[in-house]
């Protein structure tokens, strides 16, 4: 687990606004990120932050999520301790783009609770998440065998899993040529 205090990185500012400030935050987050060798959750802790605008969240949070998923590949950002206003701002932005990210409460000791998804998953993604939550660490071929009556082949399952992984909703584990998937957080 990695924890980034957004309030501390922002020099204890309670209001975070604008794309320029968001890009500065993204650069700071990237600068503080060490290489990882296994899948790891990176909590973006908003404790102490009162307001964060959509443009800030787009550049900082989603920029860091994309960095974690594309540049590092094994880093799974989760928004933590964001107040209702910040969660609403981020959720509206994500819903407009058919996108999603995990959020939760995070204690001082690093224990996550109240996991939930901000934004939106389509019906196929939601049903895939529910199925994976029941069968942790499962592969696309296993999903195809598990649900042959749905007429969804391995390639279609792979596409669903890849989309959810790109959003940071699922973790991907590789063992040789085999990829298995599990939820980043347990909420479904």
């Amino acid at each position: 687990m990695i924890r980034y205090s957004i309030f501390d990185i922002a020099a204890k500012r309670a209001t975070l606004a604008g794309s320029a400030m968001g890009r500065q935050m993204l650069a700071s987050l990237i600068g503080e990120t060490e290489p990882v060798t296994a899948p790891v959750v990176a909590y973006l802790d908003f404790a102490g932050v009162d307001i964060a605008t959509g443009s800030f969240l787009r550049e900082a949070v989603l920029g860091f999520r994309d960095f974690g998923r594309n540049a590092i590949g094994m880093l799974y950002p989760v928004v933590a301790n964001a107040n209702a206003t910040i969660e609403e701002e981020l959720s509206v932005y994500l819903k407009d783009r058919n996108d999603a990210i995990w959020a939760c409460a995070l204690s001082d000791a690093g224990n996550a609770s109240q996991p939930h998804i901000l934004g939106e998953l389509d019906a196929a993604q939601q049903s895939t998440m529910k199925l994976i939550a029941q069968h942790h660490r499962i592969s696309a071929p296993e999903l195809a065998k598990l649900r042959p009556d749905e007429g969804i082949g391995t390639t279609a399952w792979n596409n669903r899993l890849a989309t959810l992984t790109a959003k940071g909703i699922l973790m991907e584990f590789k063992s040789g040529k085999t990829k298995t998937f599990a939820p980043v957080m347990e909420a479904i």
Side-chain angles (χ1 to χ4, degrees), residues 1 13 26 32 41 44 47 49 55 57 75 79 81 87-88 98 106 121 131 135-136 141 146 149 163 166 171 175 185:
M1 175 196 88
R13 288 188 202 112
L26 174 60
E32 290 189 20
V41 175
L44 302 175
V49 176
S55 56
L57 295 166
L75 194 65
V79 173
N81 298 326
E87 283 198 1
E88 179 183 10
N98 192 31
L106 190 65
L121 299 176
L131 190 58
H135 305 278
H136 292 270
L146 189 63
D149 55 317
T163 299
M171 275 190 182
S175 178
M185 303 197 81

Side-chain angles (χ1 to χ4, degrees), residues 79-103:
V79 173
N81 298 326
N83 65 32
T85 304
I86 294 169
E87 283 198 1
E88 179 183 10
E89 188 77 22
L90 185 53
S91 193
V92 167
Y93 179 84
L94 291 166
K95 283 180 182 177
D96 286 347
R97 284 146 189 84
N98 192 31
D99 202 354
I101 193 167
W102 281 105

Side-chain angles (χ1 to χ4, degrees), residues 35-72:
V36 295
T37 58
V40 65
V41 175
Y43 293 101
L44 302 175
D45 187 351
F46 276 81
V49 176
D50 295 328
I51 299 169
T53 65
S55 56
F56 173 86
L57 295 166
R58 179 190 68 235
E59 297 296 329
V61 173
L62 299 178
F64 189 66
R65 183 210 42 200
D66 294 344
F67 166 78
R69 298 301 318 120
N70 298 322
I72 293 183

Side-chain angles (χ1 to χ4, degrees), residues 154-169:
T154 300
T155 301
W157 282 114
N158 267 326
N159 292 340
R160 286 185 185 184
L161 296 170
T163 299
L164 289 167
T165 301
K167 291 180 180 188
I169 303 298

Side-chain angles (χ1 to χ4, degrees), residues 95-135:
K95 283 180 182 177
D96 286 347
R97 284 146 189 84
N98 192 31
D99 202 354
I101 193 167
W102 281 105
C104 70
L106 190 65
S107 72
D108 290 341
N111 299 314
S113 62
Q114 304 167 14
H116 55 285
I117 293 175
L118 299 176
E120 187 169 81
L121 299 176
D122 64 30
Q125 292 167 349
Q126 287 178 11
S127 67
T128 300
M129 280 297 298
K130 288 179 182 174
L131 190 58
I132 291 172
Q134 296 168 358
H135 305 278

